[in-house]
Amino acid sequence: MTSFGRASTAVIMAVVLAACSTRDGGAAESDGTDGVKQGVGVTQDSITLGVFSDLSGPLKQQGLAATAGNELWAARINAAGGICGRQVKIEKRDHGYAADAAVAAYPEMERSTLAMVQLLGSQISAALKSSLNEDRYSATAASFSSEVLNDQRVLIMGTTYDLEMINVLDYANQKSALPKGSRIGHIYLDGELGANALRGSKHWAEQNGLTLVAEKISATDTDMSGIVKKMQTQEVSLLALSVTPGATASILSAADSFGFKVPLVASNPSFDPVLFDSPAADLLGQLLIGHSLAPIGSDVPAAKELLKAYEAKYDAPPSISVVHGFATGLIWQQVLESACKAGNLTREGVEAAVKEANAVSTDGLTSGTLDFTKLGVPTSRASFILSPDRDVEGGLTIVAENHLADEATSYRAPHEP
């Protein structure tokens, strides 16, 4: 085929996709026999929600676990009669954590689902941002960055990375009582996770009269010994991590080999149960982790029930990502029930229901109830403080529940009024 032919084909396909898109959120609207207005992905018998995740790429384990949580929620709600007299269906698409693949696969999902119960990956959310808004298509992000809280189509569940860092630093300081003027270190990943967590550590350090020593790394960096030695040389009294699990293992091992013993805190993506099979396994107990979610192996009743259901259906080891998927389902359950009560199961109805969702319960799986009504404002400010524990399912145990630092109350997220 000539280059002209390929270009012409691409133009034609773009026009076709644009024509097929619902765009205004109303192209598939109809009236149900029960008087409820039905939108894209809704029939008299079913409500179809999308899972747009990484099921084959670098975040495969997280994506599969979160999807299992989504499916377990749908199974439970369907067994209880569904929502608005309709069974919930989950439609899955794999983007492999590649933005171009996500953009290519998006139109098909958008045309067949009411909303996304899971949208995994910050770079994927960024690539789809304009399309989500044009299509009035709401999605729950499998991320905790406050940088996207100004996007009314993307729902962020619970405490964001910046607030998680503030809360875990505060908890650690209560145990070690750092004097004013002390240095604290923060090793953070280049990208949205690291930058957002860094906002939190900067705020906390400033509020407490401490000096922050920050070091940025890339996702491909594997040997952390040089940076750890630098932190030791600068005499930091506490070390915060917002990195990959592999980098966490390297940092722990290096600190141990240097005899560098300071309190260690971490953002939630810095840990994965796979680290119990790493050379740093015996050092993981030093970590304190700020997190929005209760671990699946915890004593929270809803988590215990979820673990039992997960183990009955899936063979893979459980993780906290299962909790994430299930909790987002609980959010959508309450949003859709509200939309049903208003007689409007369209994207416009979903949008209106989200704007009124000011006390969403996740049965204790997140820190407190969630408020989605204020654009730019985190839906929760308190955190679970967790510690790795190889003896519990999922590898994490709760050290403190609903920990809320004074500095978290005073903090203002990037887009917060």
Side-chain angles (χ1 to χ4, degrees), residues 237-276:
S237 300
L238 178 149
L239 190 56
L241 313 179
S242 301
V243 297
T244 63
T248 296
S250 178
I251 290 167
L252 289 173
S253 296
D256 185 62
S257 67
F258 298 149
F260 183 35
K261 299 186 182 300
V262 295
L264 291 162
V265 304
S267 298
N268 76 72
S270 303
F271 169 81
D272 188 276
V274 71
L275 293 182
F276 288 118

Tab-separated table of all heavy atoms in Angstrom, residues 237-276:
chain	number	residue	atom	x	y	z
A	237	SER	N	17.761	12.046	59.280
A	237	SER	CA	17.284	11.336	60.473
A	237	SER	C	16.079	10.455	60.189
A	237	SER	O	15.601	9.747	61.087
A	237	SER	CB	16.928	12.349	61.565
A	237	SER	OG	18.058	13.123	61.909
A	238	LEU	N	15.562	10.526	58.992
A	238	LEU	CA	14.425	9.710	58.565
A	238	LEU	C	14.473	9.629	57.053
A	238	LEU	O	14.869	10.594	56.384
A	238	LEU	CB	13.119	10.325	59.047
A	238	LEU	CG	11.801	9.631	58.660
A	238	LEU	CD1	10.741	9.836	59.743
A	238	LEU	CD2	11.266	10.138	57.325
A	239	LEU	N	14.051	8.507	56.497
A	239	LEU	CA	14.098	8.328	55.044
A	239	LEU	C	12.726	7.928	54.530
A	239	LEU	O	12.126	6.952	54.999
A	239	LEU	CB	15.126	7.262	54.680
A	239	LEU	CG	15.483	7.105	53.200
A	239	LEU	CD1	15.968	8.418	52.603
A	239	LEU	CD2	16.548	6.020	53.038
A	240	ALA	N	12.203	8.711	53.566
A	240	ALA	CA	10.913	8.432	52.934
A	240	ALA	C	11.145	7.876	51.533
A	240	ALA	O	12.043	8.339	50.818
A	240	ALA	CB	10.069	9.703	52.861
A	241	LEU	N	10.320	6.911	51.142
A	241	LEU	CA	10.454	6.268	49.838
A	241	LEU	C	9.150	6.369	49.057
A	241	LEU	O	8.078	6.035	49.573
A	241	LEU	CB	10.808	4.781	50.003
A	241	LEU	CG	11.922	4.401	50.974
A	241	LEU	CD1	12.096	2.880	51.001
A	241	LEU	CD2	13.217	5.098	50.589
A	242	SER	N	9.267	6.821	47.817
A	242	SER	CA	8.144	6.780	46.868
A	242	SER	C	8.715	6.218	45.574
A	242	SER	O	9.015	6.950	44.628
A	242	SER	CB	7.559	8.180	46.647
A	242	SER	OG	7.102	8.721	47.871
A	243	VAL	N	8.905	4.905	45.563
A	243	VAL	CA	9.688	4.245	44.511
A	243	VAL	C	9.010	2.934	44.110
A	243	VAL	O	7.943	2.577	44.614
A	243	VAL	CB	11.124	3.964	45.007
A	243	VAL	CG1	11.857	5.269	45.313
A	243	VAL	CG2	11.112	3.074	46.255
A	244	THR	N	9.649	2.208	43.204
A	244	THR	CA	9.162	0.880	42.841
A	244	THR	C	9.522	-0.122	43.936
A	244	THR	O	10.459	0.104	44.720
A	244	THR	CB	9.792	0.415	41.526
A	244	THR	OG1	11.216	0.292	41.713
A	244	THR	CG2	9.519	1.403	40.392
A	245	PRO	N	8.828	-1.251	44.018
A	245	PRO	CA	9.200	-2.268	45.018
A	245	PRO	C	10.643	-2.734	44.869
A	245	PRO	O	11.327	-2.962	45.878
A	245	PRO	CB	8.204	-3.401	44.737
A	245	PRO	CG	7.007	-2.706	44.194
A	245	PRO	CD	7.559	-1.591	43.345
A	246	GLY	N	11.141	-2.856	43.634
A	246	GLY	CA	12.530	-3.263	43.429
A	246	GLY	C	13.501	-2.270	44.023
A	246	GLY	O	14.512	-2.652	44.635
A	247	ALA	N	13.215	-0.980	43.859
A	247	ALA	CA	14.076	0.049	44.435
A	247	ALA	C	14.014	0.013	45.960
A	247	ALA	O	15.021	0.244	46.643
A	247	ALA	CB	13.669	1.425	43.914
A	248	THR	N	12.837	-0.268	46.503
A	248	THR	CA	12.706	-0.399	47.958
A	248	THR	C	13.643	-1.474	48.491
A	248	THR	O	14.354	-1.265	49.488
A	248	THR	CB	11.255	-0.744	48.342
A	248	THR	OG1	10.396	0.333	47.969
A	248	THR	CG2	11.129	-0.992	49.840
A	249	ALA	N	13.669	-2.620	47.825
A	249	ALA	CA	14.544	-3.715	48.259
A	249	ALA	C	16.007	-3.297	48.214
A	249	ALA	O	16.774	-3.586	49.142
A	249	ALA	CB	14.318	-4.941	47.377
A	250	SER	N	16.408	-2.598	47.147
A	250	SER	CA	17.793	-2.154	47.021
A	250	SER	C	18.151	-1.141	48.107
A	250	SER	O	19.244	-1.180	48.680
A	250	SER	CB	18.015	-1.552	45.632
A	250	SER	OG	19.337	-1.080	45.492
A	251	ILE	N	17.212	-0.227	48.414
A	251	ILE	CA	17.456	0.792	49.436
A	251	ILE	C	17.618	0.136	50.811
A	251	ILE	O	18.536	0.471	51.575
A	251	ILE	CB	16.307	1.817	49.447
A	251	ILE	CG1	16.364	2.674	48.175
A	251	ILE	CG2	16.371	2.706	50.697
A	251	ILE	CD1	15.110	3.490	47.933
A	252	LEU	N	16.757	-0.806	51.130
A	252	LEU	CA	16.844	-1.483	52.417
A	252	LEU	C	18.158	-2.251	52.557
A	252	LEU	O	18.815	-2.203	53.606
A	252	LEU	CB	15.665	-2.437	52.580
A	252	LEU	CG	14.286	-1.802	52.788
A	252	LEU	CD1	13.193	-2.870	52.753
A	252	LEU	CD2	14.220	-1.051	54.105
A	253	SER	N	18.529	-2.945	51.501
A	253	SER	CA	19.772	-3.725	51.541
A	253	SER	C	20.983	-2.827	51.688
A	253	SER	O	21.912	-3.125	52.464
A	253	SER	CB	19.891	-4.585	50.280
A	253	SER	OG	18.860	-5.550	50.216
A	254	ALA	N	20.996	-1.701	50.948
A	254	ALA	CA	22.125	-0.778	51.020
A	254	ALA	C	22.223	-0.143	52.402
A	254	ALA	O	23.309	-0.045	52.981
A	254	ALA	CB	21.985	0.295	49.940
A	255	ALA	N	21.091	0.297	52.927
A	255	ALA	CA	21.099	0.907	54.259
A	255	ALA	C	21.609	-0.073	55.309
A	255	ALA	O	22.379	0.293	56.212
A	255	ALA	CB	19.696	1.393	54.618
A	256	ASP	N	21.211	-1.329	55.177
A	256	ASP	CA	21.659	-2.348	56.125
A	256	ASP	C	23.162	-2.572	56.027
A	256	ASP	O	23.856	-2.680	57.049
A	256	ASP	CB	20.901	-3.648	55.860
A	256	ASP	CG	21.229	-4.731	56.879
A	256	ASP	OD1	20.963	-4.519	58.072
A	256	ASP	OD2	21.760	-5.780	56.467
A	257	SER	N	23.670	-2.617	54.800
A	257	SER	CA	25.107	-2.868	54.617
A	257	SER	C	25.956	-1.703	55.112
A	257	SER	O	27.092	-1.902	55.553
A	257	SER	CB	25.405	-3.135	53.135
A	257	SER	OG	25.201	-1.979	52.356
A	258	PHE	N	25.397	-0.477	55.071
A	258	PHE	CA	26.123	0.714	55.526
A	258	PHE	C	25.936	0.964	57.025
A	258	PHE	O	26.507	1.915	57.566
A	258	PHE	CB	25.670	1.958	54.765
A	258	PHE	CG	25.924	1.914	53.279
A	258	PHE	CD1	25.073	2.565	52.392
A	258	PHE	CD2	27.019	1.230	52.755
A	258	PHE	CE1	25.308	2.543	51.028
A	258	PHE	CE2	27.257	1.197	51.390
A	258	PHE	CZ	26.397	1.847	50.521
A	259	GLY	N	25.124	0.171	57.676
A	259	GLY	CA	24.827	0.432	59.083
A	259	GLY	C	24.037	1.711	59.261
A	259	GLY	O	24.124	2.377	60.302
A	260	PHE	N	23.236	2.053	58.254
A	260	PHE	CA	22.458	3.295	58.238
A	260	PHE	C	21.070	2.999	58.799
A	260	PHE	O	20.181	2.518	58.099
A	260	PHE	CB	22.392	3.811	56.807
A	260	PHE	CG	21.678	5.119	56.623
A	260	PHE	CD1	21.747	6.125	57.568
A	260	PHE	CD2	20.945	5.356	55.460
A	260	PHE	CE1	21.099	7.334	57.374
A	260	PHE	CE2	20.302	6.559	55.248
A	260	PHE	CZ	20.377	7.550	56.218
A	261	LYS	N	20.864	3.273	60.073
A	261	LYS	CA	19.625	2.891	60.743
A	261	LYS	C	18.827	4.139	61.121
A	261	LYS	O	19.157	4.834	62.085
A	261	LYS	CB	19.938	2.054	61.983
A	261	LYS	CG	20.667	0.758	61.668
A	261	LYS	CD	20.830	-0.105	62.906
A	261	LYS	CE	21.603	-1.380	62.587
A	261	LYS	NZ	20.936	-2.196	61.564
A	262	VAL	N	17.807	4.421	60.316
A	262	VAL	CA	16.895	5.534	60.575
A	262	VAL	C	15.475	5.040	60.320
A	262	VAL	O	15.282	4.028	59.635
A	262	VAL	CB	17.202	6.751	59.661
A	262	VAL	CG1	18.570	7.342	59.969
A	262	VAL	CG2	17.089	6.367	58.182
A	263	PRO	N	14.454	5.744	60.849
A	263	PRO	CA	13.074	5.367	60.529
A	263	PRO	C	12.832	5.421	59.014
A	263	PRO	O	13.328	6.324	58.332
A	263	PRO	CB	12.239	6.418	61.266
A	263	PRO	CG	13.125	6.892	62.374
A	263	PRO	CD	14.513	6.862	61.815
A	264	LEU	N	12.072	4.463	58.501
A	264	LEU	CA	11.784	4.371	57.068
A	264	LEU	C	10.282	4.388	56.846
A	264	LEU	O	9.542	3.600	57.445
A	264	LEU	CB	12.359	3.075	56.500
A	264	LEU	CG	13.885	2.971	56.442
A	264	LEU	CD1	14.317	1.520	56.291
A	264	LEU	CD2	14.435	3.801	55.291
A	265	VAL	N	9.829	5.307	55.995
A	265	VAL	CA	8.411	5.374	55.641
A	265	VAL	C	8.290	5.288	54.130
A	265	VAL	O	9.240	5.578	53.400
A	265	VAL	CB	7.743	6.661	56.172
A	265	VAL	CG1	7.916	6.787	57.677
A	265	VAL	CG2	8.294	7.904	55.467
A	266	ALA	N	7.104	4.899	53.652
A	266	ALA	CA	6.964	4.681	52.212
A	266	ALA	C	5.562	5.001	51.712
A	266	ALA	O	4.572	4.853	52.442
A	266	ALA	CB	7.313	3.232	51.869
A	267	SER	N	5.485	5.420	50.455
A	267	SER	CA	4.212	5.535	49.739
A	267	SER	C	3.724	4.132	49.402
A	267	SER	O	4.514	3.188	49.263
A	267	SER	CB	4.404	6.339	48.451
A	267	SER	OG	4.837	7.646	48.726
A	268	ASN	N	2.422	3.979	49.212
A	268	ASN	CA	1.868	2.627	49.091
A	268	ASN	C	2.401	1.807	47.912
A	268	ASN	O	2.570	0.595	48.045
A	268	ASN	CB	0.332	2.668	49.118
A	268	ASN	CG	-0.296	3.138	47.816
A	268	ASN	OD1	-0.293	2.426	46.828
A	268	ASN	ND2	-0.882	4.330	47.828
A	269	PRO	N	2.733	2.377	46.732
A	269	PRO	CA	3.236	1.521	45.652
A	269	PRO	C	4.671	1.027	45.862
A	269	PRO	O	5.163	0.229	45.066
A	269	PRO	CB	3.167	2.435	44.413
A	269	PRO	CG	2.232	3.533	44.781
A	269	PRO	CD	2.462	3.741	46.246
A	270	SER	N	5.326	1.491	46.919
A	270	SER	CA	6.720	1.108	47.149
A	270	SER	C	6.868	-0.324	47.649
A	270	SER	O	7.978	-0.867	47.664
A	270	SER	CB	7.360	2.059	48.176
A	270	SER	OG	7.261	3.406	47.752
A	271	PHE	N	5.766	-0.916	48.066
A	271	PHE	CA	5.813	-2.282	48.599
A	271	PHE	C	4.957	-3.223	47.765
A	271	PHE	O	3.888	-2.858	47.275
A	271	PHE	CB	5.312	-2.312	50.042
A	271	PHE	CG	5.088	-3.703	50.568
A	271	PHE	CD1	6.162	-4.457	51.039
A	271	PHE	CD2	3.822	-4.271	50.550
A	271	PHE	CE1	5.962	-5.763	51.491
A	271	PHE	CE2	3.621	-5.570	51.015
A	271	PHE	CZ	4.692	-6.316	51.478
A	272	ASP	N	5.448	-4.443	47.619
A	272	ASP	CA	4.676	-5.526	47.018
A	272	ASP	C	5.050	-6.805	47.750
A	272	ASP	O	6.221	-6.991	48.119
A	272	ASP	CB	4.996	-5.663	45.521
A	272	ASP	CG	4.073	-6.648	44.831
A	272	ASP	OD1	4.363	-7.869	44.886
A	272	ASP	OD2	3.072	-6.220	44.230
A	273	PRO	N	4.097	-7.711	47.975
A	273	PRO	CA	4.420	-8.951	48.686
A	273	PRO	C	5.536	-9.766	48.055
A	273	PRO	O	6.167	-10.582	48.738
A	273	PRO	CB	3.086	-9.719	48.657
A	273	PRO	CG	2.044	-8.661	48.554
A	273	PRO	CD	2.658	-7.589	47.708
A	274	VAL	N	5.813	-9.538	46.759
A	274	VAL	CA	6.900	-10.274	46.106
A	274	VAL	C	8.243	-9.998	46.783
A	274	VAL	O	9.183	-10.792	46.672
A	274	VAL	CB	6.956	-9.909	44.602
A	274	VAL	CG1	7.466	-8.490	44.402
A	274	VAL	CG2	7.814	-10.898	43.828
A	275	LEU	N	8.335	-8.885	47.520
A	275	LEU	CA	9.587	-8.542	48.203
A	275	LEU	C	9.940	-9.533	49.306
A	275	LEU	O	11.096	-9.595	49.742
A	275	LEU	CB	9.508	-7.126	48.780
A	275	LEU	CG	9.429	-5.979	47.770
A	275	LEU	CD1	9.412	-4.636	48.477
A	275	LEU	CD2	10.587	-6.041	46.791
A	276	PHE	N	8.978	-10.319	49.748
A	276	PHE	CA	9.291	-11.341	50.747
A	276	PHE	C	10.158	-12.457	50.164
A	276	PHE	O	10.706	-13.273	50.899
A	276	PHE	CB	8.011	-11.923	51.340
A	276	PHE	CG	7.293	-10.980	52.264
A	276	PHE	CD1	6.009	-10.545	51.972
A	276	PHE	CD2	7.906	-10.509	53.414
A	276	PHE	CE1	5.345	-9.673	52.819
A	276	PHE	CE2	7.255	-9.639	54.271
A	276	PHE	CZ	5.968	-9.213	53.971
